[in-house]
């Protein structure tokens, strides 16, 4: 199962989601079956590592943050099984690259998998203070945990029928 997390710049929210998911998946029954990557709808920060403030917030939760920013491309629609947008603008920008709606079913909103937070979107922390980065880590930990549980139960069901 290949998962792609997408935000605007690919230096704050989506690399955090990618690294949190890798961290949670490693301790799960799907440790060898999930592959994660992340991308931005914009190319402003292509080649850059995750934002230092996001790295600092992740380290506080013992989550290492690695990666190098890249822009989302149309080939991602075929290279990934699931594409997770951080906010509605990301979602619309992704779908705009698929005018025929061929891959629409693969594109989901990340917050739909959260159960402990009421947010519909992962807020962009870039122009705010440190607390915004901490909040993004907590919200994404909730959403990644929900997504992982869903993938685990889908896997269990498909195993039991095969
Ligand atoms: P991200 O955050 O989309 O979560 O990576 C942002 C990073 C950079 C900018 C905006 C949001 N920017 O305007 O440069």
């Amino acid at each position: 199962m290949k998962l792609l997390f997408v935000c605007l710049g690919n230096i704050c929210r989506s690399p955090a989601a990618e690294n949190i998911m890798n961290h949670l998946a490693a301790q799960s029954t799907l440790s060898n079956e999930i592959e994660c990557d992340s991308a931005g709808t914009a190319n402003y920060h292509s080649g850059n590592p995750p934002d230092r403030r996001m790295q600092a917030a992740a380290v506080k939760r013992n989550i290492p943050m690695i990666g190098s920013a890249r822009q989302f491309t149309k080939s991602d629609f075929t290279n990934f099984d699931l594409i997770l947008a951080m906010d509605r603008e990301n979602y619309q920008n992704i779908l705009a690259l698929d005018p025929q709606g061929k891959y629409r079913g693969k594109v989901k909103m990340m917050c739909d998998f959260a159960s402990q937070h009421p947010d519909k979107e992962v807020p962009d922390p870039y122009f705010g203070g440190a607390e915004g980065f901490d909040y993004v880590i907590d919200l994404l930990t909730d959403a990644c945990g929900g997504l992982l549980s869903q993938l685990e139960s889908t896997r269990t069901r498909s195993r039991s029928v095969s």
Side-chain angles (χ1 to χ4, degrees):
M1 176 59 91
K2 291 184 72 179
L3 312 178
L4 182 68
F5 299 94
V6 181
C7 62
L8 174 64
N10 193 209
I11 54 167
C12 298
R13 293 165 292 174
S14 62
E18 174 191 351
N19 284 285
I20 290 168
M21 193 54 148
N22 277 331
H23 181 76
L24 297 179
Q27 307 157 24
S28 79
T29 56
L30 297 180
S31 54
N32 297 318
E33 298 178 57
I34 291 184
E35 252 182 69
C36 301
D37 193 9
S38 63
T41 57
N43 67 356
Y44 319 135
H45 298 280
S46 288
N48 291 355
D51 187 287
R52 281 175 191 280
R53 298 165 295 172
M54 200 78 250
Q55 291 192 41
V59 162
K60 282 195 244 168
R61 302 286 197 279
N62 286 319
I63 296 160
M65 278 273 284
I66 54 170
S68 164
R70 71 166 179 93
Q71 190 170 23
F72 182 86
T73 68
K74 282 185 180 185
S75 59
D76 290 319
F77 286 122
T78 47
N79 288 339
F80 290 89
D81 300 301
L82 205 50
I83 296 167
L84 296 137
M86 298 298 129
D87 65 29
R88 285 187 198 96
E89 190 178 279
N90 308 148
Y91 182 81
Q92 294 303 341
N93 286 333
I94 295 165
L95 291 188
L97 294 173
D98 173 31
Q100 295 184 334
K102 218 171 142 187
Y103 303 105
R104 202 186 173 90
K106 285 189 178 188
V107 188
K108 312 272 184 208
M109 289 290 287
M110 191 65 201
C111 283
D112 288 353
F113 298 94
S115 58
Q116 314 295 314
H117 295 77
D119 306 67
K120 297 287 177 216
E121 305 181 282
V122 182
D124 182 351
Y126 190 71
F127 294 106
E131 68 289 350
F133 290 85
D134 291 336
Y135 187 76
V136 165
I137 295 284
D138 291 340
L139 172 55
L140 287 174
T141 302
D142 177 9
C144 285
L147 173 57
L148 186 59
S149 301
Q150 223 179 81
L151 296 174
E152 284 181 312
S153 54
T154 309
R155 193 78 182 88
T156 307
R157 276 202 301 277
S158 67
R159 274 202 185 114
S160 62
V161 294
S162 61

